[in-house]
Amino acid sequence: MRVLVIGSGAREHALLLALRRDPSVTSLMCAPGNAGTAEIAEQHDVDAASSDDVVALVRELAPDLVVIGPEVPLVLGVADAVRKIGVPCFGPSAAAAQIEGSKAFAKDVMAAAGVRTAHAEIVDTPANLDAALDRFGPTWVVKDDRLAGGKGVVVSSDRAIARDHAAELLEKGHPVLLESFLDGPEVSLFCLVDGEDVVALLPAQDHKRVGDNDSGPNTGGMGAYTPLPWLPDGMVTQIVDEVVKPVAREMVARGCPFSGLLYAGLAIGANGPAVVEFNCRFGDPETQVVLEMLETPLAGLLYATATGALGDAGPLTWKDGSAVTVVVAAENYPGTPRTGDVITGAEIDGVLHAGTTRRSDGALVSAGGRVLSIIGHGADLASARADAYRKVDQIHLAGSHYRTDIGRAAAEGQISIPS
Ligand code: GLY
């Protein structure tokens, strides 16, 4: 099978590495990619958000399967355009991608499907902001109602901080979503979904704040681990039965069946799982650890999802042990990152590239906020952490930073579900 992956992050690098392990894959292509993906796939230029550009590339390369990584092309209908020319594509239609692209749509689907989620209000004018803030708290959750790569969220028990963020978004013309705070540890559960067929992958946990002990602003994700030793047995089945299947059925009933990867972000509270958000694609950095653990050949699974045959997929098989990823970020991330710095020490196994490029002299240089995603694997979470941080120590990038506590609370048994 010849597979073309669209995207340029560590998630796409992880997808390519997993696809390369599938014996049915004969050729791997990536566009636009980064310096890491260029080492394992034929690299092409593309504007991933342009259906015309992607379709032209697909016509030129004639892959058997196109896999679209990021949300922006999916929300803009790039998967529809690829399917329209008869090429199987892993990724939802624009209509189904609204589950991520429009928070109002996602809330409406969840209400109709009877799925527990935070109470939410949209504020679209500064005049309504203070009264709306008064209806929330003592912890305020303020989200950009547009796609913001995870960075549009502020969670704070300081009303002034929440207000400043909301006012800043409104000033930019972005509607603001205020949500009630959901208590409990968070889980990212990725499910392959093809109409009403659902296959859950291993649950993972992201670390969204930039600093240790969940300090500082939100980011696109600073690290992740899987599996979750604190998650009760049966919780994945409960999430699939109470959340993912009802939503998949509701999407079918609305005439916009979901086909691709449905990412449920959940808080596990005293009353069970509640949805924080849905995304319409593999998450980053959780994908890096989930795919590190996957033994079932990935291309077959993605092809089955893309062609309406997921119901025939057997049970998935997984490696033993745990996986951890630590994101190495550029100076000033999640603000405007410093770029163009030389990276050394990255030529080791388990280094996935995100914001990297090759300079004309061949040097590997930073080209984005999240620069590398370093993977560790071990018999348990503590040894996977040790493996990941041993590799992180070998990397040098001036001004870079990373969290030192990825997976630590879970490894030390400090995560519990409120009762
Ligand atoms: N892990 C956060 C995201 O992919 O949106």
Side-chain angles (χ1 to χ4, degrees):
M1 191 185 324
R2 305 179 70 249
V3 186
L4 168 63
V5 174
I6 302 292
S8 61
R11 164 186 50 210
E12 285 73 30
H13 197 176
L15 282 162
L16 288 163
L17 284 171
L19 288 165
R20 191 171 66 161
R21 295 197 293 270
D22 184 331
S24 76
V25 172
T26 52
S27 168
L28 275 178
M29 299 156 275
C30 184
N34 57 43
T37 63
E39 283 167 19
I40 57 170
E42 190 183 293
Q43 196 112 317
H44 295 269
D45 254 352
V46 83
D47 173 359
S50 159
S51 292
D52 289 349
D53 258 34
V54 174
V55 163
L57 184 67
V58 171
R59 285 192 197 281
E60 179 193 331
L61 301 177
D64 301 301
L65 174 68
V66 176
V67 178
I68 300 184
E71 62 275 20
V72 171
L74 294 166
V75 169
L76 293 175
V78 173
D80 306 74
V82 171
R83 277 193 280 272
K84 205 163 165 190
I85 60 165
V87 177
C89 183
F90 181 85
S93 64
Q98 289 307 299
I99 195 93
E100 175 166 359
S102 162
K103 293 180 178 75
F105 175 86
K107 291 285 180 194
D108 198 49
V109 168
M110 284 186 266
V115 167
R116 286 190 343 107
T117 183
H119 165 68
E121 272 185 47
I122 299 267
V123 180
D124 49 17
T125 156
N128 296 340
L129 179 57
D130 283 306
L133 285 167
D134 288 345
R135 291 190 284 276
F136 289 83
T139 302
W140 284 268
V141 180
V142 181
K143 294 184 177 176
D144 188 340
D145 196 41
R146 303 211 179 143
L147 291 176
K151 289 183 282 179
V153 185
V154 161
V155 180
S156 179
S157 48
D158 184 333
R159 191 181 188 282
I161 291 176
R163 191 187 188 288
D164 284 352
H165 182 57
E168 196 182 314
L169 292 170
L170 288 168
E171 213 164 276
K172 286 195 253 172
H174 294 206
V176 167
L177 191 83
L178 297 182
E179 282 193 350
S180 56
F181 178 67
L182 292 172
D183 200 16
E186 291 197 2
V187 172
S188 301
L189 186 68
F190 297 170
C191 294
L192 298 167
V193 175
D194 154 24
E196 294 194 14
D197 288 320
V198 173
V199 173
L201 308 187
L202 282 184
Q205 191 180 52
D206 189 4
H207 293 59
K208 294 201 173 94
R209 303 279 191 140
V210 73
D212 280 3
N213 303 313
D214 293 331
S215 58
N218 261 40
T219 68
M222 292 298 289
Y225 65 95
T226 190
L228 309 179
W230 51 268
L231 198 69
D233 287 345
M235 183 56 79
V236 167
T237 305
Q238 187 179 343
I239 295 169
V240 168
D241 290 346
E242 292 181 5
V243 174
V244 184
K245 283 189 172 169
V247 163
R249 275 197 295 272
E250 175 61 24
M251 301 285 279
V252 171
R254 286 179 183 227
C256 55
F258 194 95
S259 167
L261 193 290
L262 185 60
Y263 164 154
L266 308 124
I268 311 298
N271 299 321
V275 173
V276 176
E277 64 178 0
F278 278 110
N279 294 316
C280 66
R281 37 80 196 174
F282 280 99
D284 187 346
E286 300 96 310
T287 300
Q288 289 87 298
V289 285
V290 171
L291 295 184
E292 168 69 20
M293 297 293 289
L294 182 70
E295 282 186 338
T296 306
L298 181 65
L301 281 175
L302 302 188
Y303 189 82
T305 308
T307 54
L310 184 62
D312 301 334
L316 305 185
T317 56
W318 300 96
K319 273 188 201 169
D320 289 333
S322 295
V324 169
T325 190
V326 178
V327 169
V328 176
E331 182 174 329
N332 202 42
Y333 177 79
T336 306
R338 170 172 140 179
T339 57
D341 289 303
V342 173
I343 305 161
T344 56
E347 305 78 16
I348 50 176
D349 277 353
V351 175
L352 301 185
H353 291 226
T356 65
T357 191
R358 288 266 168 215
R359 220 166 47 187
S360 53
D361 64 359
L364 181 67
V365 295
S366 57
R370 290 188 292 173
V371 179
L372 300 170
S373 183
I374 314 298
I375 310 285
H377 179 258
D380 57 21
L381 195 45
S383 49
R385 271 174 48 73
D387 187 40
Y389 283 108
R390 183 181 53 75
K391 293 172 188 168
V392 170
D393 283 346
Q394 297 177 53
I395 308 283
H396 182 73
L397 167 62
S400 64
H401 58 98
Y402 59 87
R403 279 183 63 157
T404 66
D405 65 346
I406 304 300
R408 186 170 66 200
E412 293 176 354
Q414 287 168 11
I415 299 187
S416 58
I417 294 172
S419 50

